[in-house]
Amino acid sequence: MINGFHMRPKINKVVFFFLFLILNFSTLLTLLTLPLMGADFGDDNSVSVENSDPKAKEELSKNLKNLSKIDTFHYHQGVYAALYGGGGYLDSGQWTYTDTKGNIGMGNYGGSWGGIGGLKVGYQYKGWQIGHSPYRVTEAVEFDGFYAGYSNPMNGYIGTFSGPVFHGSSVTPDMQLNVGIMTINSLTKLITPYRFAPYIGFGVGGGIVTASNITGIAPVGGFDTSHSSTTGVFVLAEIMGAEYYITDHLSVFIEGKFIYFDSSISIFKNLAHFNVMTNTPAQASFALGNFFQYIGVAGVKYVFW
């Protein structure tokens, strides 16, 4: 007390400000958090605000269902085996003919339908995820072997030249072709969260073609029903298909292939009856042009581990 007056303690302005903040902290916190009411924080610290729009809620429900599908399907890396069957169409370029009697010939292979049966053994990789999506790009390498059988009449002419004039007769040669193809394939697949996986690929390999029951090649009744000839060919393949996973390990697939034989098939044979009037034998060479196979198959595949 000074001169009869009591002195009131002075409160510093800074202290007063802090006291104000402390006393009103709860009010300020409520005000600051109002914009985030109903917000959902993700694992990546992102925030999504609740939307009352019915369409948005419906879309969210669909996305949640899709996520449940993703969680239940696990694409496995590992060794697999597959069996398949189907059909194919075989086409070829022109055929040519020569023999030791001086005859020459040329014609067209009309194309033929046949049955297909084959198997695969391969390895599929885990692959790479596309960004943050549930889709994945993977690779697979496989051995692919299949058999096809074809039989179809051909048409053309065989004869001789007298100067510039060709003297020939119409022929319809026929033969049975048994084709065995073996290729190493590289496949690129798109794995989706719906157990569906489309793919494309290519293959390189070889084949064995056996021609048998060759008839009607030589003019005037030449034939040879017992002869057969086997030759090897170089093969290129283009592949497109899709598979659906019934379980994480078991899938079914459909596949289309385009097969190209890079070399012609030459058949050397002895004609038992070159001419029905003289019954003299002859040796002939019959060559088919490059082959094209169009194949469609369906099969089942199992991933072991």
Side-chain angles (χ1 to χ4, degrees):
M1 184 173 62
I2 301 174
N3 298 327
F5 293 97
H6 291 279
M7 296 291 295
R8 297 177 62 186
K10 293 184 178 180
I11 300 176
N12 188 284
K13 292 182 179 180
V14 175
V15 175
F16 176 81
F17 179 72
F18 277 107
L19 289 172
F20 176 82
L21 287 179
I22 292 170
L23 293 174
N24 294 276
F25 177 75
S26 59
T27 303
L28 289 173
L29 183 62
T30 302
L31 292 173
L32 289 172
T33 56
L34 276 176
L36 298 180
M37 295 293 286
D40 181 25
F41 288 84
D43 293 337
D44 57 353
N45 295 325
S46 62
V47 180
S48 58
V49 180
E50 183 180 351
N51 194 331
S52 60
D53 186 357
K55 291 184 178 180
K57 289 184 176 180
E58 182 180 354
E59 188 66 26
L60 178 60
S61 176
K62 289 181 180 179
N63 291 336
L64 290 174
K65 288 180 180 179
N66 290 339
L67 283 173
S68 66
K69 292 181 181 178
I70 295 169
D71 292 338
T72 57
F73 172 51
H74 303 283
Y75 178 76
H76 285 277
Q77 169 181 330
V79 176
Y80 64 84
L83 292 174
Y84 62 85
Y89 181 80
L90 180 70
D91 199 3
S92 172
Q94 289 185 328
W95 56 264
T96 58
Y97 172 93
T98 59
D99 63 34
T100 55
K101 298 296 182 177
N103 290 283
I104 61 173
M106 181 181 294
N108 294 314
Y109 187 87
S112 176
W113 292 95
I116 303 290
L119 60 87
K120 297 181 179 187
V121 177
Y123 187 89
Q124 62 186 28
Y125 297 89
K126 191 69 175 177
W128 308 271
Q129 188 175 356
I130 303 176
H132 296 288
S133 75
Y135 295 86
R136 180 177 294 273
V137 175
T138 70
E139 295 286 336
V141 178
E142 62 184 21
F143 166 83
D144 185 5
F146 67 89
Y147 161 84
Y150 301 98
S151 178
N152 191 64
M154 297 170 276
N155 62 80
Y157 293 88
I158 293 178
T160 60
F161 278 100
S162 297
V165 181
F166 178 75
H167 303 277
S169 59
S170 175
V171 293
T172 55
D174 189 13
M175 67 181 67
Q176 173 72 27
L177 289 175
N178 298 308
V179 183
I181 299 295
M182 294 158 286
T183 59
I184 300 297
N185 302 333
S186 174
L187 305 178
T188 301
K189 300 182 180 184
L190 175 64
I191 308 301
T192 73
Y194 310 104
R195 299 181 177 271
F196 176 74
Y199 60 87
I200 59 173
F202 67 93
V204 179
I208 298 175
V209 179
T210 299
S212 59
N213 298 328
I214 307 166
T215 61
I217 291 180
V220 199
F223 65 93
D224 183 356
T225 58
S226 62
H227 177 80
S228 65
S229 179
T230 301
T231 185
V233 294
F234 176 72
V235 174
L236 295 174
E238 295 179 1
I239 304 165
M240 179 178 294
E243 64 180 326
Y244 178 80
Y245 282 84
I246 301 172
T247 70
D248 290 352
H249 292 272
L250 181 66
S251 66
V252 292
F253 65 91
I254 56 173
E255 188 170 279
K257 300 180 184 180
F258 171 71
I259 307 292
Y260 172 65
F261 293 21
D262 191 47
S263 61
S264 62
I265 299 170
S266 296
I267 302 164
F268 296 93
K269 62 189 293 292
N270 290 318
L271 294 173
H273 303 282
F274 172 72
N275 188 302
V276 295
M277 298 299 294
T278 62
N279 199 29
T280 57
Q283 189 177 64
S285 171
F286 181 78
L288 289 171
N290 294 336
F291 276 111
F292 305 93
Q293 274 185 292
Y294 307 89
I295 295 172
V297 297
V300 59
K301 168 186 151 186
Y302 188 83
V303 182
F304 292 97
W305 62 78

